[in-house]
Every structure is written in C-alpha cells, then in structure tokens.
Amino acid sequence: MKRIFPALLVAVLFAACGGEAESTIEIVQQANDEFKVIPLTIESEKRKLSEMIESIEVMGLEETDEGLLSGVYNFSQANERLVFPSGSEGDVFVYSNEGKFISTFSRKGEGPEEYGSLQHLWISKDTLFIHDRNRGNINKYDFEGKYLGQIKPSVKSAHLYPYKGGYVGDMNGMPIYDSLKFNIVFFDDQLKIRGMENLYKDVMPFPIESSINSLAAYGDDLLYKEIFGDTIFLIQNETIRPLLKLDFGSDYLWNDETMRADGQKAMGSIQESGKVWIFNPKVGNSKIYLNFNTSFSEATRLLIDQNSGKYYQIDNKKNVEENYAFVPIRWEEDVLIVSLNSYDLAELIKEIGPENAVFKKGSTLESIESSENPVLLWVKFKDFE
C-alpha cells in the first residue's frame, strides 16, 4: 500500500529549508527561454548570507491586537493592499502598501460559506480568491471577509493558479483518466476542464501532500515543477515544454529507477542515502534561490547564477547556535522579497553595513524592534565574481 506524507510534515521540511509554507511567486521572464541544464552538487563553496547581500530595503508590518502574525510566507498585492495568510491558522490579514494593519478575518470552518483549508490565495480587483484544497473549491470574499460566492471544480486539483481567464491545475501524483494519466489540467473560469497534458510517463512513487504551490507566474505565462522532479516546465497557453533542469546527477534520489518503482524502498532511502530527494527553487530574472533536502531534516540553500551556472551554498548562521529565519517569497526582477524575524534585523544591518539598508516610508528600526511581527525585505544580491 502506498504511504501518504501528511501535509504538516512537508511544511516542516520546507520550514527547515527557509520557512516557506507556500510559494505563489511572481517570476520575471528571461529574455532567452531556451532549455538550460545547470549541473549541481550537494557539497559546494559556502558564503555567509550577509556577505552575499549588496543592499536591502525594509518594511515593517504593524503589530496590533488583531494584527499579530505568526509568519509571512507569501502575499498578494492589489489596490494598495498586501494580503496574506499567516501561519497555519487559516487567518487572512490585510495591510497597506506601507505595512500598516487594516483588517483581518477568518472563514475557516465546515459551513457552506467557509473554507476547510487555505491552500492558495489570489486577488483580482476587490475580490479575494481562496483555494480550499480539502474540497477543491475556490471561495470568493471581499477584503472584510464577506462571502461573495464559490467556484466548484469538475475534478479536484492539489494546486491551482489563475491563468488566461481560467486556471491551471496540478493533480500532484493523482493523475486522472486511467491509463492516460493526465497530471496537468487546464480549466475555464468555472473550473470546467478545457485541456489536459501529461508530463511524466510514471506517477510519483507515493502520494505526498505539500502546501507549496507547484505552479508560479512567469511573465505572462506559468512555470511548473513536479514535487519529485528536477525539471522546471514553461506553460504557454495550453502547451508545456521543459525550460530549466537543475541536475544533481547521481546525487538525486529519483534518478535511480528502482526508487520510483518501489515507494517503500524510497521511503527508507530518503533518510539513509544522503541524496537530494526534494527541492524548491525560486526562479528570478538572473538568479535562483534553491532549498534542497538530503534527509527529513537536513536542509541546504544555494544561490545560483543562471547565466554562468555558478553557485554558492548560503551560510545562514547568525551566530554559533542560531540561523537567520530568512524566508524567500518571490523575485521582482533581480530583487528577492523575503521575510525575516524582527529581532534579527539589527544584526543583519550591522553585518551588511548600515549604509546598505534603506527603510520604506513609515518604517524605522525602532518601531520594528518593538514589534513581534516579521519584516519584509527587498534583497539585492551582489553579482557573482
């Protein structure tokens, strides 16, 4: 019998990699979309995080009795608002573009106007769209949490992303239509199927639930990466082609066909083999921020230059016993948006130099240090030598 990883386990694994529980990242399209292979190894030269940073721009998130955040892993932005879930509680928080708290709501529950889980969230004009993975529905709310309706799917996808007036869905190892095994589905705006694609001849060795969205914006199109795959695909209209392969060679567990054929064997090998079994890339205009795991707890971070293929292992250590809680969210061209614990900010600024830190309007170091909420950073990395 196939085993199923609980979603919580996968969330914990990626928290070890950098804290992200989901990534609905905005990715700037490269000028050259030819297929590219970047060879990688588990062991590589380490560089301290602060030494790789050229500059940061800082925005605090106001703490109030209602606006107390357990974490920020992604956000959507529209109408001069930042909207994001925080932690695993299913709460939605609304902030201004200057980090001022506006409102919060939760419609988590079992009722017809509620969501059982908050898998992904998008904004369109004045409407929030929340993907409820447990039921497969998309619920619509205004910024105050008022219920505006629901879209029900013809088939339930693990991950969804809005695209071309409809949606793209990832079946996440549970392909549909028997022997054809379609794993990518194109929906219209009412979640009715309008096309399907099959990227892999074999299904995953065992189903695994992840809260990290396998689909991400890439200019006007989308990127897709299967959870156990090492290739990133470009989705254009209703066609899919490989764009980027992050190649760990023999260090990648799933390059061994016996692992894909035997889920029980693979489960035991994840902890013992020391090979890469899962990774999560954030693809920017010229760089990639990559988290990978070689066990259930061993996590490594790389910063990769796409043009040269050169990369460094990121040393996140703040001191002997602690790491920076540096959580990548998305790229804006060559700037990586991350969240960071407020109590780590002063130390990071000291390491990169105060002259390399700028505060957005309404934010100060004093106000941030007096808050328990994380901060948002716009990080510019130094060019590779």
Side-chain angles (χ1 to χ4, degrees), residues 42-113:
I42 291 177
E43 299 295 334
S44 56
E45 181 183 341
K46 278 188 179 182
R47 290 199 171 182
K48 195 171 181 181
L49 173 65
S50 58
E51 294 174 354
M52 302 176 77
I53 293 175
E54 179 178 308
S55 62
I56 61 174
E57 193 171 7
V58 184
M59 185 174 78
L61 295 171
E62 182 184 17
E63 179 189 336
T64 69
D65 291 340
E66 291 184 293
L68 184 59
L69 310 174
S70 58
V72 177
Y73 308 111
N74 66 90
F75 63 85
S76 294
Q77 190 169 13
N79 295 339
E80 299 186 350
R81 292 179 174 91
L82 306 177
V83 183
F84 47 84
S86 179
S88 60
E89 300 86 358
D91 296 335
V92 175
F93 292 85
V94 182
Y95 275 75
S96 74
N97 277 348
E98 295 180 355
K100 300 303 180 184
F101 175 77
I102 296 175
S103 62
T104 183
F105 71 86
S106 175
R107 299 301 302 271
K108 188 172 183 179
E110 301 302 322
E113 298 184 359

Side-chain angles (χ1 to χ4, degrees), residues 250-262:
S250 61
D251 287 333
Y252 192 57
L253 183 68
W254 307 113
N255 283 339
D256 183 344
E257 291 296 326
T258 64
M259 296 298 170
R260 285 190 172 269
D262 187 341

Side-chain angles (χ1 to χ4, degrees), residues 15-60:
C17 289
E20 61 263 56
E22 178 194 343
S23 176
T24 52
I25 50 181
E26 297 294 332
I27 305 176
V28 178
Q29 192 160 349
Q30 303 173 64
N32 185 352
D33 282 340
E34 293 182 1
F35 179 62
K36 189 180 299 183
V37 178
I38 300 180
L40 300 171
T41 58
I42 291 177
E43 299 295 334
S44 56
E45 181 183 341
K46 278 188 179 182
R47 290 199 171 182
K48 195 171 181 181
L49 173 65
S50 58
E51 294 174 354
M52 302 176 77
I53 293 175
E54 179 178 308
S55 62
I56 61 174
E57 193 171 7
V58 184
M59 185 174 78

Side-chain angles (χ1 to χ4, degrees), residues 121-245:
L121 180 152
W122 308 283
I123 304 174
S124 178
K125 298 181 180 179
D126 292 324
T127 302
L128 306 183
F129 294 77
I130 292 178
H131 175 211
D132 181 350
R133 176 175 179 159
N134 291 350
R135 301 166 189 167
N137 301 329
I138 295 178
N139 286 9
K140 297 185 287 185
Y141 303 92
D142 67 13
F143 289 114
E144 302 299 322
K146 180 182 177 182
Y147 179 73
L148 301 177
Q150 185 180 87
I151 309 171
K152 295 185 177 182
S154 50
V155 297
K156 187 166 70 172
S157 299
H159 303 284
L160 284 172
Y161 208 97
Y163 182 63
K164 304 288 186 182
Y167 299 88
V168 177
D170 172 21
M171 301 308 296
N172 194 47
M174 301 295 289
I176 58 175
Y177 294 110
D178 301 325
S179 61
L180 297 179
K181 301 185 186 307
F182 291 105
N183 46 40
I184 293 294
V185 182
F186 297 91
F187 298 99
D188 65 16
D189 60 350
Q190 295 304 306
L191 291 178
K192 305 300 182 185
I193 295 175
R194 66 185 187 192
M196 292 172 282
E197 283 284 346
N198 181 16
L199 302 182
Y200 297 95
K201 63 180 181 180
D202 299 316
V203 298
M204 292 189 297
F206 42 79
I208 180 169
E209 294 182 359
S210 173
S211 57
I212 298 175
N213 201 335
S214 58
L215 298 152
Y218 184 73
D220 294 330
D221 298 306
L222 296 181
L223 293 185
Y224 165 73
K225 180 191 168 297
E226 184 234 17
I227 193 168
F228 288 151
D230 61 359
T231 300
I232 300 166
F233 292 85
L234 175 64
I235 299 175
Q236 290 180 313
N237 298 315
E238 294 186 12
T239 63
I240 305 178
R241 63 178 177 85
L243 178 68
L244 185 67
K245 180 182 176 73

Side-chain angles (χ1 to χ4, degrees), residues 287-307:
K287 293 183 176 66
I288 301 170
Y289 187 101
L290 177 71
N291 295 323
F292 69 83
N293 281 72
T294 54
S295 68
F296 291 129
S297 58
E298 198 70 26
T300 304
R301 305 155 190 85
L302 300 179
L303 187 66
I304 305 167
D305 181 87
Q306 293 190 63
N307 296 319

Side-chain angles (χ1 to χ4, degrees), residues 200-382:
Y200 297 95
K201 63 180 181 180
D202 299 316
V203 298
M204 292 189 297
F206 42 79
I208 180 169
E209 294 182 359
S210 173
S211 57
I212 298 175
N213 201 335
S214 58
L215 298 152
Y218 184 73
D220 294 330
D221 298 306
L222 296 181
L223 293 185
Y224 165 73
K225 180 191 168 297
E226 184 234 17
I227 193 168
F228 288 151
D230 61 359
T231 300
I232 300 166
F233 292 85
L234 175 64
I235 299 175
Q236 290 180 313
N237 298 315
E238 294 186 12
T239 63
I240 305 178
R241 63 178 177 85
L243 178 68
L244 185 67
K245 180 182 176 73
L246 302 176
D247 188 5
F248 283 96
S250 61
D251 287 333
Y252 192 57
L253 183 68
W254 307 113
N255 283 339
D256 183 344
E257 291 296 326
T258 64
M259 296 298 170
R260 285 190 172 269
D262 187 341
Q264 295 295 331
K265 180 180 179 180
M267 280 286 294
S269 297
I270 286 173
Q271 188 67 26
E272 299 168 2
S273 69
K275 294 186 176 183
V276 177
W277 72 280
I278 195 167
F279 64 81
N280 178 34
K282 302 286 188 295
V283 182
N285 190 36
S286 62
K287 293 183 176 66
I288 301 170
Y289 187 101
L290 177 71
N291 295 323
F292 69 83
N293 281 72
T294 54
S295 68
F296 291 129
S297 58
E298 198 70 26
T300 304
R301 305 155 190 85
L302 300 179
L303 187 66
I304 305 167
D305 181 87
Q306 293 190 63
N307 296 319
S308 67
K310 194 170 184 177
Y311 57 95
Y312 297 105
Q313 185 175 329
I314 302 171
D315 181 357
N316 264 14
K317 283 195 176 298
K318 181 175 61 172
N319 52 47
V320 176
E321 297 181 351
E322 295 181 303
N323 291 331
Y324 285 112
F326 190 84
V327 182
I329 295 175
R330 71 179 189 224
W331 289 90
E332 289 184 350
E333 297 185 352
D334 288 325
V335 174
L336 182 64
I337 304 176
V338 306
S339 68
L340 184 79
N341 288 335
S342 56
Y343 53 78
D344 285 338
L345 181 61
E347 182 66 22
L348 182 62
I349 290 176
K350 179 181 177 182
E351 289 190 12
I352 69 172
E355 69 279 8
N356 297 315
V358 175
F359 288 82
K360 287 183 177 287
K361 181 180 178 181
S363 295
T364 64
L365 181 59
E366 292 74 22
S367 64
I368 288 170
E369 287 187 313
S370 65
S371 170
E372 295 184 23
N373 281 346
V375 297
L376 293 178
L377 304 181
W378 281 254
V379 180
K380 172 71 173 176
F381 289 100
K382 296 175 182 176

